[in-house]
Amino acid sequence: MDKRREVQSSVKDERLVEMRRNQMIRGAVSLFKQKGFHRTTTREIARASGFSIGTLYEYIRTKEDVLYLVCDRIYDEVRAQLNSMDLNGGTISDLSIGIAHYFKVVDAMQDEVLVMYQETKSLSKDALPYVLKKELEMVQMFETLIRQCVEKGELHIEEKQIHLLAQNIFVQGQMWGFRRWALHHTYTIEQYIERQTELLLIGIKGYKAAEKKGES
């Protein structure tokens, strides 16, 4: 994994840095969602975070740093949730649990996901590749779960399809964040998880059934 991109701070107390940056993230997400990244000022972020502009610049150097921290937080939370579970059994149940936990992280961080989806393009050239690589690392976690299912005989798909299925899982989770304005009228998060998991697995089974029929 790439070394974490450092967001410079003049404060040396790591716990205080984390606390202040959490405040910034909450204030910035609300503003980015309402006004967009480019129309939001650092002074507004400081005010929404509950401290002065001078204090803000003790913990970051640029407005882009705040957006980077928002994106970083989402991926770290997903990684922490998946890594905290024992999902090495190579079963469909393990894969389904992993999908459910990922979708629930997205549900809990809906505003952050929406901002990330809309504003990642505003990241600086040095931050963007790292954030995109972290996204691929999330996908790789699902690739691992899927590959374990294949090795145990729970799924029967080719290696090249494992990556595509993992990408589909990742995007379907994000969709709950950026399409919730339409989806929440029809589904609860639990119903969404159940339906999407069914569709993903039915799609695999349907593909294999069609393949076998073509061979007969």
Side-chain angles (χ1 to χ4, degrees):
M1 178 178 167
D2 284 355
K3 182 180 178 182
R4 173 181 289 275
R5 177 184 178 273
E6 182 180 359
V7 175
Q8 293 184 358
S9 170
S10 60
V11 178
K12 303 306 179 186
D13 186 333
E14 291 184 4
R15 294 203 314 182
L16 182 58
V17 170
E18 182 177 3
M19 182 182 75
R20 291 300 193 197
R21 286 179 174 173
N22 284 341
Q23 291 174 268
M24 285 181 209
I25 288 170
R26 287 193 294 270
V29 163
S30 177
L31 289 166
F32 292 163
K33 197 176 139 191
Q34 293 171 20
K35 304 179 62 174
F37 174 79
H38 290 294
R39 293 180 60 198
T40 299
T41 67
T42 51
R43 191 171 298 279
E44 288 172 325
I45 293 172
R47 189 181 306 117
S49 304
F51 39 76
S52 70
I53 187 70
T55 299
L56 181 85
Y57 281 119
E58 292 179 359
Y59 298 93
I60 62 164
R61 290 293 175 267
T62 69
K63 185 171 65 169
E64 281 186 337
D65 283 344
V66 183
L67 181 56
Y68 172 81
L69 291 170
V70 171
C71 298
D72 203 42
R73 176 62 52 81
I74 296 167
Y75 297 129
D76 283 349
E77 184 66 24
V78 172
R79 182 184 294 110
Q81 287 291 326
L82 293 182
N83 286 345
S84 69
M85 297 177 290
D86 182 12
L87 300 176
N88 298 315
T91 66
I92 295 296
S93 176
D94 285 340
L95 177 59
S96 298
I97 291 169
I99 292 171
H101 277 265
Y102 165 55
F103 281 22
K104 286 179 180 177
V105 168
V106 173
D107 180 53
M109 304 182 75
Q110 289 180 25
D111 288 343
E112 288 90 338
V113 170
L114 181 62
V115 165
M116 182 219 42
Y117 182 77
Q118 292 176 334
E119 303 292 353
T120 295
K121 62 184 181 296
S122 299
L123 285 166
S124 62
K125 291 181 179 179
D126 65 318
L128 182 58
Y130 173 70
V131 169
L132 294 179
K133 186 175 186 299
K134 288 179 75 172
E135 181 170 308
L136 289 178
E137 288 171 357
M138 300 298 109
V139 173
Q140 287 166 5
M141 288 186 178
F142 288 107
E143 287 181 347
T144 298
L145 292 178
I146 296 163
R147 190 170 289 109
Q148 288 170 344
C149 289
V150 172
E151 291 170 354
K152 293 288 186 178
E154 292 273 310
L155 291 176
H156 302 280
I157 57 176
E158 301 170 6
E159 178 65 27
K160 64 183 180 181
Q161 295 168 313
I162 291 175
H163 178 69
L164 186 57
L165 177 57
Q167 291 279 7
N168 282 336
I169 292 169
F170 190 79
V171 171
Q172 295 307 324
Q174 285 191 329
M175 189 171 78
W176 179 254
F178 63 77
R179 293 286 297 176
R180 72 182 187 273
W181 61 270
L183 293 168
H184 78 90
H185 295 296
T186 307
Y187 303 106
T188 63
I189 181 58
E190 289 78 15
Q191 290 169 334
Y192 182 78
I193 291 168
E194 182 180 358
R195 299 294 184 274
Q196 288 289 14
T197 304
E198 285 176 354
L199 286 172
L200 287 163
L201 296 179
I202 288 171
I204 296 169
K205 294 174 182 176
Y207 169 81
K208 295 309 294 184
E211 187 181 61
K212 288 180 179 178
K213 184 177 179 181
E215 292 174 353
S216 61

